[in-house]
Every structure is written in structure tokens, then in C-alpha cells.
Amino acid sequence: MPSRRPTRAARYARRRKRRMAAKVHDLTEAQWVALKAAWGGCAYCGAAGTPLQKDCVLPISRGGRYAIDNVVPCCRSCNTSKCNAEVTSWMRRKKLDERRFLLRLSEINRMLAAEPV
């Protein structure tokens, strides 16, 4: 009987589960709500009125974690496109305003750090 190799998706899911378990993720629901309100839509393309997903600016596969200073709200399209790419090179490739994003990210992180959430 031939051995059954796990699918690529199953192998990826196991690796992701191990990476997630190795990190301390401290983003609370209140912080997530505050982030969505501060950004007012997708942090990358600005799309509003669409369901937003949590995206790690520094991907979990590259050492990131779910923390208030590493998570931004983004639309499904941007989240899928970015995958685990480095954010600035991905934004350049997509011809998005990298400078505006980084300034806004810094501004929002400072604002939320100053307020108890």
C-alpha cells in the first residue's frame, strides 16, 4: 500500500501552527477594534466598507507576532496578495504609497500607545 504524503497545505498548516505556538500573541479584541477605527479601512489600499482582516506587518513566518504595533487591518485582496512578503517591497511592487503607509503606521502606533485600550 503506498504511503500517503501530507499535502502541501497540510504541511504549511502544521508549520504555521508551530510558529504561532512559539510566539506570545497579545493583541486584544479592544486593541483590534481601536486599530480598525484608527485606520478607517485597509491600511494598504484604503478600501473602506469591506470586511477587514488582521495582517502582520512583519509576517509570523519572518518572526512577527499578533501585537498592536505589528498588526494592521487590511482587505482580503491585500492580505492575500502580500502573503508573507516584506511590506515595503510588496508595496513598491503593487505601486502603493509606501511612505504614506509608514508615516501613518508610526502615527497610529504612537497614538494607541499613549491611550489605554
Side-chain angles (χ1 to χ4, degrees):
M1 179 178 231
S3 66
R4 295 185 71 125
R5 291 184 58 179
T7 64
R8 179 181 300 152
R11 286 190 307 269
Y12 174 78
R14 279 198 307 276
R15 279 195 312 267
R16 179 173 168 77
K17 187 176 180 179
R18 282 194 303 269
R19 283 192 303 265
M20 292 288 287
K23 299 283 183 186
V24 175
H25 303 282
D26 58 2
L27 183 71
T28 66
E29 187 59 31
Q31 289 171 328
W32 173 237
V33 169
L35 277 169
K36 289 192 294 186
W39 281 98
C42 178
Y44 302 124
C45 70
T50 181
L52 297 172
Q53 302 175 349
K54 295 173 189 163
D55 182 57
C56 291
V57 176
L58 176 65
I60 292 168
S61 64
R62 295 174 184 243
R65 64 191 184 100
Y66 285 110
I68 194 163
D69 59 344
N70 189 47
V71 171
V72 295
C74 73
C75 65
R76 182 178 183 168
S77 175
C78 286
N79 199 6
T80 302
S81 171
K82 181 178 167 278
C83 191
N84 68 343
E86 194 273 326
V87 71
T88 54
S89 61
W90 171 77
M91 291 187 86
R92 279 183 221 130
R93 196 169 58 246
K94 296 295 278 183
K95 295 184 179 23
L96 295 169
D97 191 346
E98 170 191 357
R99 186 178 194 288
R100 184 188 64 79
F101 167 76
L102 292 173
L103 289 171
R104 184 94 172 109
L105 176 65
S106 176
E107 173 187 307
I108 288 173
N109 283 342
R110 271 194 313 272
M111 179 186 73
L112 292 178
E115 297 175 4
V117 180

